[in-house]
């Protein structure tokens, strides 16, 4: 697995943000650096990195081994679990924030029960009915979905949020007029992801309007529309 790990000079980060790319339901072929799901997360990671500048936190953008979820194999879940174990061995008890898109969001939410994970965000997540939620207990959770997404289901995301609220606080944000690729309103998606990481690492607001929207959404149970 290509981990894109933190620079060797950093030995005690204040926090770690892991940005997880998407994929597809089936695909046992390996990922490559130039595939669209990976490229889509480059500006997201850049926005988070800029928002955390000077905080001592590091941002990682790992490359999953395979392109697909692959049914019961849940391929990306194994990759992320391995990464979290590596980070635990390298840095010790450091708060980890997971930010995933689509399939990557599903995987991030699945591994959120790891002791290092303090918060997890799903952007345009793929959350079929029946996805487990118990592992989210005690974690800060954000789910953001575009109203014009025709690839993954926003109603399934809101249903997942309703179930997850039985075990933890969940902020649900609907992004108007945008689809799965998060391109039409890309700056807003970037601010949402960046502000969530700042809040999760106890940093002051960077984008006040987004922080206020996030806090309203976290108070639930209704989602906030931006």
């Amino acid at each position: 697995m290509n981990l894109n790990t933190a620079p060797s000079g950093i030995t005690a980060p204040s926090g770690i943000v892991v940005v997880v790319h998407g994929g597809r339901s089936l695909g046992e072929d390996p990922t490559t650096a130039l595939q669209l799901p990976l490229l889509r997360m480059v500006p997201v990671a850049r926005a988070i990195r800029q928002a955390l500048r000077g905080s001592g936190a590091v941002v990682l953008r790992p490359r999953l081994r395979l392109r697909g979820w692959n049914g019961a194999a849940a391929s990306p879940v194994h990759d992320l679990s391995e990464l979290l174990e590596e980070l635990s061995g390298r840095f010790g008890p450091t708060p980890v924030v997971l930010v995933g898109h689509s399939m990557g969001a599903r995987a991030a939410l699945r591994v959120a029960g790891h002791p290092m994970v303090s918060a997890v965000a799903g952007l345009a997540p793929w959350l079929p009915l029946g996805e487990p939620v118990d592992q989210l207990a005690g974690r800060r959770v954000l789910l953001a979905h575009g109203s014009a997404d025709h690839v993954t289901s926003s109603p399934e995301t809101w249903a997942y949020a309703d179930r997850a609220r039985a075990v933890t606080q969940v902020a649900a944000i609907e992004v108007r007029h945008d689809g799965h690729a998060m391109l039409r309103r890309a700056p807003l998606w970037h601010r949402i992801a960046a502000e969530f990481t700042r809040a999760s690492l106890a940093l002051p607001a960077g984008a006040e309007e987004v922080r206020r929207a996030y806090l309203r959404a976290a108070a639930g149970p209704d989602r906030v529309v931006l």
Side-chain angles (χ1 to χ4, degrees), residues 8-123:
S8 57
I10 296 179
T11 58
S14 61
I16 302 169
V17 180
V18 180
V19 178
V20 191
H21 65 82
R24 55 195 188 190
S25 59
L26 297 172
E28 296 190 351
D29 49 321
T31 58
T32 66
L34 296 180
Q35 289 165 351
L36 286 178
L38 282 83
L39 295 175
R40 186 169 293 125
M41 300 310 286
V42 171
V44 176
R46 182 185 301 121
I48 294 172
R49 192 172 286 114
Q50 291 174 347
L52 299 181
R53 185 177 298 163
S55 69
V58 297
V59 180
L60 310 182
R61 190 171 54 84
R63 193 171 82 220
L64 302 171
R65 288 188 176 95
L66 303 179
R67 297 186 72 181
W69 181 268
N70 300 319
S75 300
V77 173
H78 296 289
D79 288 350
L80 289 184
S81 296
E82 178 184 297
L83 172 59
L84 289 168
E85 286 303 309
E86 178 177 327
L87 294 175
S88 178
R90 181 175 176 185
F91 297 117
T94 304
V96 171
V97 180
L98 303 175
V99 178
H101 173 248
S102 191
M103 180 189 78
R106 184 180 183 185
L109 289 159
R110 279 277 189 103
V111 303
H114 191 282
M116 290 193 75
V117 177
S118 61
V120 56
L123 310 179

Side-chain angles (χ1 to χ4, degrees), residues 132-157:
V133 298
D134 289 347
Q135 75 281 2
L136 300 176
R139 275 59 178 174
R140 184 189 297 256
V141 178
L142 165 69
L143 300 173
H145 216 125
S147 63
D149 191 332
H150 302 298
V151 177
T152 56
S153 169
S154 58
E156 288 180 351
T157 293

Side-chain angles (χ1 to χ4, degrees), residues 131-210:
E131 274 295 297
V133 298
D134 289 347
Q135 75 281 2
L136 300 176
R139 275 59 178 174
R140 184 189 297 256
V141 178
L142 165 69
L143 300 173
H145 216 125
S147 63
D149 191 332
H150 302 298
V151 177
T152 56
S153 169
S154 58
E156 288 180 351
T157 293
W158 312 139
Y160 181 94
D162 288 341
R163 291 192 296 115
R165 287 189 177 105
V167 299
T168 196
Q169 186 181 70
V170 180
I173 296 178
E174 180 177 300
V175 179
R176 289 177 294 181
H177 313 308
D178 209 350
H180 193 67
M182 307 185 298
L183 293 176
R184 185 174 299 173
R185 304 186 68 193
L188 175 58
W189 286 100
H190 299 167
R191 290 196 300 273
I192 290 171
E195 200 56 37
F196 176 74
T197 59
R198 288 182 64 88
S200 299
L201 295 173
L203 297 173
E208 287 286 353
E209 76 285 0
V210 174

